[in-house]
PDB file of all heavy atoms in Angstrom:
ATOM      1  N   VAL A 114      25.686 125.090 141.204  1.00 91.00           N
ATOM      2  CA  VAL A 114      26.444 124.477 142.293  1.00 91.00           C
ATOM      3  C   VAL A 114      27.370 123.390 141.762  1.00 91.00           C
ATOM      4  O   VAL A 114      28.562 123.324 142.107  1.00 91.00           O
ATOM      5  CB  VAL A 114      25.488 123.906 143.360  1.00 91.00           C
ATOM      6  CG1 VAL A 114      26.278 123.166 144.438  1.00 91.00           C
ATOM      7  CG2 VAL A 114      24.638 125.014 143.979  1.00 91.00           C
ATOM      8  N   TRP A 161      26.823 132.252 135.872  1.00 90.00           N
ATOM      9  CA  TRP A 161      25.695 133.082 135.453  1.00 90.00           C
ATOM     10  C   TRP A 161      26.078 134.028 134.314  1.00 90.00           C
ATOM     11  O   TRP A 161      25.228 134.382 133.483  1.00 90.00           O
ATOM     12  CB  TRP A 161      25.174 133.890 136.644  1.00 90.00           C
ATOM     13  CG  TRP A 161      24.501 133.060 137.690  1.00 90.00           C
ATOM     14  CD1 TRP A 161      24.852 132.940 139.003  1.00 90.00           C
ATOM     15  CD2 TRP A 161      23.351 132.221 137.513  1.00 90.00           C
ATOM     16  NE1 TRP A 161      24.010 132.077 139.664  1.00 90.00           N
ATOM     17  CE2 TRP A 161      23.061 131.623 138.761  1.00 90.00           C
ATOM     18  CE3 TRP A 161      22.542 131.911 136.430  1.00 90.00           C
ATOM     19  CZ2 TRP A 161      22.007 130.744 138.954  1.00 90.00           C
ATOM     20  CZ3 TRP A 161      21.489 131.030 136.626  1.00 90.00           C
ATOM     21  CH2 TRP A 161      21.226 130.460 137.861  1.00 90.00           C
ATOM     22  N   ASN A 196       0.323 141.817  92.455  1.00 58.00           N
ATOM     23  CA  ASN A 196      -0.311 140.917  91.480  1.00 58.00           C
ATOM     24  C   ASN A 196      -1.820 141.103  91.469  1.00 58.00           C
ATOM     25  O   ASN A 196      -2.460 141.087  90.406  1.00 58.00           O
ATOM     26  CB  ASN A 196       0.039 139.465  91.802  1.00 58.00           C
ATOM     27  CG  ASN A 196       1.485 139.139  91.483  1.00 58.00           C
ATOM     28  OD1 ASN A 196       2.071 139.732  90.575  1.00 58.00           O
ATOM     29  ND2 ASN A 196       2.078 138.228  92.226  1.00 58.00           N
ATOM     30  N   ARG A 227     -11.499 141.339  63.033  1.00 83.00           N
ATOM     31  CA  ARG A 227     -10.154 141.900  63.169  1.00 83.00           C
ATOM     32  C   ARG A 227      -9.869 142.302  64.614  1.00 83.00           C
ATOM     33  O   ARG A 227      -8.765 142.108  65.126  1.00 83.00           O
ATOM     34  CB  ARG A 227      -9.991 143.116  62.248  1.00 83.00           C
ATOM     35  CG  ARG A 227      -9.933 142.784  60.762  1.00 83.00           C
ATOM     36  CD  ARG A 227      -9.436 143.990  59.964  1.00 83.00           C
ATOM     37  NE  ARG A 227     -10.311 145.132  60.137  1.00 83.00           N
ATOM     38  CZ  ARG A 227     -11.373 145.397  59.389  1.00 83.00           C
ATOM     39  NH1 ARG A 227     -11.710 144.558  58.394  1.00 83.00           N
ATOM     40  NH2 ARG A 227     -12.109 146.478  59.589  1.00 83.00           N
ATOM     41  N   GLU A 241       2.548 136.874  78.310  1.00 71.00           N
ATOM     42  CA  GLU A 241       4.014 136.832  78.288  1.00 71.00           C
ATOM     43  C   GLU A 241       4.604 137.666  79.430  1.00 71.00           C
ATOM     44  O   GLU A 241       5.653 137.319  79.980  1.00 71.00           O
ATOM     45  CB  GLU A 241       4.533 137.344  76.948  1.00 71.00           C
ATOM     46  CG  GLU A 241       4.281 136.393  75.781  1.00 71.00           C
ATOM     47  CD  GLU A 241       4.742 136.981  74.452  1.00 71.00           C
ATOM     48  OE1 GLU A 241       5.144 138.167  74.442  1.00 71.00           O
ATOM     49  OE2 GLU A 241       4.703 136.255  73.445  1.00 71.00           O
ATOM     50  N   LEU A 261      -4.260 150.338  71.197  1.00 88.00           N
ATOM     51  CA  LEU A 261      -4.805 151.439  70.408  1.00 88.00           C
ATOM     52  C   LEU A 261      -5.320 150.966  69.052  1.00 88.00           C
ATOM     53  O   LEU A 261      -6.222 151.585  68.478  1.00 88.00           O
ATOM     54  CB  LEU A 261      -3.737 152.518  70.240  1.00 88.00           C
ATOM     55  CG  LEU A 261      -3.444 153.324  71.513  1.00 88.00           C
ATOM     56  CD1 LEU A 261      -2.227 154.204  71.325  1.00 88.00           C
ATOM     57  CD2 LEU A 261      -4.660 154.157  71.906  1.00 88.00           C
ATOM     58  N   LEU A 292       0.783 152.506  81.221  1.00 90.00           N
ATOM     59  CA  LEU A 292       0.284 153.505  80.286  1.00 90.00           C
ATOM     60  C   LEU A 292      -1.129 153.213  79.795  1.00 90.00           C
ATOM     61  O   LEU A 292      -1.913 154.140  79.572  1.00 90.00           O
ATOM     62  CB  LEU A 292       1.232 153.612  79.079  1.00 90.00           C
ATOM     63  CG  LEU A 292       2.604 154.232  79.361  1.00 90.00           C
ATOM     64  CD1 LEU A 292       3.473 154.175  78.115  1.00 90.00           C
ATOM     65  CD2 LEU A 292       2.451 155.675  79.825  1.00 90.00           C
TER      66      LEU A 292
END
Side-chain angles (χ1 to χ4, degrees):
V114 175
W161 291 121
N196 288 330
R227 289 194 300 271
E241 289 177 354
L261 288 171
L292 290 176

